[in-house]
Amino acid sequence: MVISSIALAALKSALGPGGWTEDPAEIAPWLTEWRNRWHGHTPLMLTPRSTEQVAAAVRVCAAHRVAIVPQGGDTGLVGGQIPYGEVLLSTRWLRAVRDVTPLDDAMTVEAGVTLLEAQQAAAAADRLFPLSLAAEGTATIGGVISTNAGGTAVIRYGVMRDLVLGLEAVMPNGEVFNGLKRLRKDNTGYDLKQLLIGAEGTLGIVTAATLKLFPVMRSRATAMVGLESAHAAVQLLARAKAETGGGVEAFELMKRIGMEFVLRNIPDSREPLEATPAWYVLIEMVSGEPGAAEAGMERLLTHAFETGLITDAAIAQNDAQRAAFWKVREEQSAAQKPEGGGWKHDVSVPVSRIADFLDEATAAVERFEPGARVSAFGHVGDGNIHYDVLCPVGGDHPAFLARWPEGSRIVHDIVARYDGSISAEHGLGRLKTDEARRYKSPLEIQTMQAIRAALDPHRIMNPGVLF
Ligand SMILES: Cc1cc2nc3c(=O)[nH]c(=O)nc-3n(C[C@H](O)[C@H](O)[C@H](O)COP(=O)(O)OP(=O)(O)OC[C@H]3O[C@@H](n4cnc5c(N)ncnc54)[C@H](O)[C@@H]3O)c2cc1C
């Protein structure tokens, strides 16, 4: 993809000094990402500071048929934010919290505000913005919207799609869609904002969003639990939901091997339980009533222990213990890196079938790759498992990584038979679009292509991503 010097000059002039850079050293950090898997290139990085500047840039791109890759915090895990010759448009400088209106339980923030800053702005108004994930200090609101991110509290509050009331975006022709409504009810035809959520930058550039806020919970209890099987974890989840009437905020499953990776490879991590069970679950419960979450957790775990559902448990007694429990969960991915990396899968199946899926997929993977180390972990509360397969100890890493596509096909075919999804929360990006063609129906793919062609006839928005 070659961009003409006339188009580049028009873009620089539209944004003015400080609104762009072509300095390779300044651009370099934004051409690769967390897993160091994608290494892109671009002639120009745009750094607009207002919606008007984004619109001006997109108008130039539309006129000159210049392709654009939008980028927020660059924490995406499927390469969708990395340009390969396109202009890179960073939304990081769209930084304003425009308003917080507690009576509407709503706030409007610009796309470059980080997820953590959005949570803090809500907390300052005694409200909760509940989306939470390990990259929240860097991931931006525009990015979590465009990937329809999930995270750890989906079981109670839903995914990003459930948390957006309104959206402002620059469409592929440079027009601004002003949909920053705070309404809970608006049945006036197709919902354009929902099309843009999860679109991975292919239908427009999100510049601001009105987000749904919730009451701050007055009590919270966190526990680490040991179990003999994932089947027991699914049963414990059902019991926890029934007993708390919806008070379970997180229910995170981890395998023993993942815990061993953390203990071995992450400094200052500690074994959370006295025993070493086959599986761990991190449970977080909340309640609007002071003391109720702690009491509910005690009741649940006592009963689960007495009936043999769990083998061990520890309830966090203070914030430091709570943070230590979350650390072993959040470091599951990072702890794999020194082990040589592996075949990653971000899949979901119905909650009731998670344990069967894990049994079947692990047996199939072990048949295909004897000695492979399966480190499954994730958000069991919403059926989402990060099913990672690591090279056998002493194995040939490059040869193992070369078998990733074949190994993934085995895992994904089983996911499809369980009526699941091959991308539960990270999106398709550059990594999984081709693989998704195998599992999505022609009707779905053609409908997506028709919508895209209607909004972006010259396919200038993130052309290497989605169908
Ligand atoms: C350590 C770690 C933990 C993670 N945990 C989770 C998790 O628990 N749950 C989960 O769902 N995800 C998780 N993720 C991945 C998740 O997709 C990202 O963290 C986040 O959603 C992306 O935000 P970002 O601002 O970094 O977007 P980027 O990486 O910059 O971009 C991601 C995609 O969105 C597009 N995009 C970005 N901004 C805009 C915009 N303003 N308008 C239009 N398109 C845009 C890009 O083109 C790209 O396709 C994790 C990632 C890491 C590194």
Side-chain angles (χ1 to χ4, degrees), residues 200-225:
E200 301 187 43
T202 61
L203 298 182
I205 299 177
V206 174
T207 49
T210 301
L211 306 175
K212 222 184 247 185
L213 303 182
F214 295 83
V216 173
M217 290 293 108
R218 302 298 166 199
S219 66
R220 175 175 298 274
T222 310
M224 187 67 81
V225 169

Side-chain angles (χ1 to χ4, degrees), residues 256-437:
R256 175 67 201 162
I257 193 168
M259 188 65 74
E260 285 167 8
F261 293 157
V262 171
L263 297 175
R264 187 152 66 226
N265 300 327
I266 302 293
D268 304 324
S269 46
R270 277 187 294 118
E271 175 74 61
L273 297 176
E274 279 175 22
T276 53
W279 292 88
Y280 296 77
V281 168
L282 171 58
I283 311 175
E284 192 138 303
M285 282 183 185
V286 292
S287 170
E289 208 183 306
E294 293 87 336
M297 184 72 88
E298 282 276 354
R299 242 186 351 262
L300 173 77
L301 297 185
T302 305
H303 186 225
F305 195 70
E306 284 168 2
T307 52
L309 198 53
I310 63 173
T311 55
D312 199 358
I315 299 180
Q317 298 302 315
N318 50 45
D319 283 349
Q321 274 179 9
R322 176 172 182 262
F325 289 174
W326 273 105
K327 181 180 163 97
V328 295
R329 163 62 188 88
E330 286 174 346
E331 298 288 2
Q332 290 284 309
S333 271
Q336 291 175 5
K337 280 190 181 173
E339 303 287 330
W343 314 335
K344 310 271 185 179
H345 307 96
D346 162 40
V347 302
S348 63
V349 295
V351 173
S352 60
R353 313 201 66 193
I354 282 180
D356 293 335
F357 160 74
L358 286 169
D359 289 346
E360 189 175 338
T362 302
V365 162
E366 283 170 356
R367 272 196 305 277
F368 176 70
E369 186 74 40
R373 296 172 292 166
V374 172
S375 175
F377 63 94
H379 321 296
V380 168
D382 42 276
N384 180 192
I385 296 290
H386 299 300
Y387 189 87
D388 298 341
V389 183
L390 278 80
C391 186
V393 176
D396 175 349
H397 276 273
F400 172 78
L401 288 177
R403 285 194 289 281
W404 183 346
E406 249 185 297
S408 281
R409 183 57 53 83
I410 292 170
V411 174
H412 287 162
D413 281 356
I414 296 173
V415 167
R417 271 199 289 105
Y418 278 78
D419 222 2
S421 166
I422 66 156
S423 184
E425 58 178 14
H426 298 158
L428 297 180
R430 293 181 186 273
L431 181 66
K432 291 190 198 156
T433 296
D434 280 342
E435 181 76 348
R437 285 182 209 281

Side-chain angles (χ1 to χ4, degrees), residues 34 69-77 79-81 91 111 132-135 138-152 200-202 204-207 329-330 333 379 384 386 425-426 429 462 465:
W34 195 73
V69 171
Q71 187 186 81
D74 191 17
T75 66
L77 294 174
Q81 72 278 21
T91 56
S132 174
L133 44 86
T138 313
T140 61
I141 289 300
V144 295
I145 288 174
S146 300
T147 55
N148 185 26
T152 52
E200 301 187 43
T202 61
I205 299 177
V206 174
T207 49
R329 163 62 188 88
E330 286 174 346
S333 271
H379 321 296
N384 180 192
H386 299 300
E425 58 178 14
H426 298 158
N462 219 352
V465 165

